[in-house]
Amino acid sequence: MKQIHLGEGATICIKLRSTVVGLIYGLVTMFFLSFIISFLGDFAAGGMSVGGASFGGWLWFFATSLFPVSVISGISGYFQAFRNIRLWGYWVLCAFLGFIIPLFMGSVGATLMLILEYGFERVMTPSPEITANDIMHDYFKLAPLYALIVLPVTTPFLALWLKGMQAFLTYVGNKWK
């Protein structure tokens, strides 16, 4: 059987296409997943009413997850969603990513949302009473604990999410040949 060798330009084009497709996959899935998670959270907290769920939780969840999910999905797309990795390495990678995303969401993402809500000066200026500054410091103290607590949920979820990305990249790769 004859092997076809792609040129360097074609390989770069494929990597770029995979990165863009991975980024789109991550943003679209996170858009819908943040809505579903927010809806379930409202329902579990008893916040559902005749008018429906509030979109404040959805916006917060989507905004705090936007950066880490975009970076991870772009990198995953570039590496073809890590399809040539051993099984134990795949699970270690999923555990690592399952720790990093909630860590970022619970610290940097939550702080950025706090700044958007209260303003930069109010968040960054310490004062004697409990302020947004104190809340921000608590975010950074508790984010690693939060990331560890949700790790048993995020690791298998990311394994499924990456498998879905692999299937989507294969589909797109077959369509664009």
Side-chain angles (χ1 to χ4, degrees):
M1 191 187 267
K2 198 175 193 183
Q3 282 189 335
I4 299 173
H5 294 285
L6 298 174
E8 188 174 317
T11 304
I12 291 172
C13 184
I14 290 170
K15 293 284 188 182
L16 182 61
R17 180 183 68 201
S18 296
T19 302
V20 171
V21 168
L23 186 62
I24 291 168
Y25 175 84
L27 292 175
V28 169
T29 56
M30 205 59 224
F31 179 82
F32 289 110
L33 287 173
S34 59
F35 180 76
I36 291 168
I37 290 170
S38 176
F39 181 78
L40 292 174
D42 280 350
F43 183 74
M48 300 301 293
S49 64
V50 176
S54 70
F55 289 104
W58 170 80
L59 180 62
W60 181 91
F61 197 87
F62 182 69
T64 60
S65 64
L66 189 62
F67 179 75
V69 169
S70 298
V71 169
I72 288 170
S73 60
I75 291 170
S76 299
Y78 181 83
F79 289 109
Q80 294 287 312
F82 306 103
R83 68 178 73 190
N84 296 328
I85 195 169
R86 293 179 186 246
L87 186 60
W88 66 269
Y90 184 75
W91 282 103
V92 168
L93 176 72
C94 290
F96 175 72
L97 296 177
F99 179 78
I100 292 297
I101 291 174
L103 179 69
F104 185 89
M105 288 176 67
S107 58
V108 176
T111 301
L112 290 175
M113 292 304 291
L114 197 65
I115 289 171
L116 285 175
E117 186 173 340
Y118 293 107
F120 186 78
E121 289 300 319
R122 188 166 174 200
V123 171
M124 295 302 170
T125 307
S127 68
E129 69 265 358
I130 295 177
T131 62
N133 187 319
D134 298 325
I135 296 169
M136 180 194 67
H137 288 291
D138 287 343
Y139 285 157
F140 281 92
K141 288 179 198 171
L142 297 175
L145 180 62
Y146 166 68
L148 283 174
I149 288 171
V150 297
L151 194 60
V153 174
T154 57
T155 300
F157 176 78
L158 275 165
L160 276 171
W161 186 76
L162 284 175
K163 288 294 180 189
M165 183 184 283
Q166 288 174 359
F168 187 65
L169 286 170
T170 301
Y171 173 77
V172 169
N174 290 337
K175 283 287 186 187
W176 288 355
K177 278 191 177 180

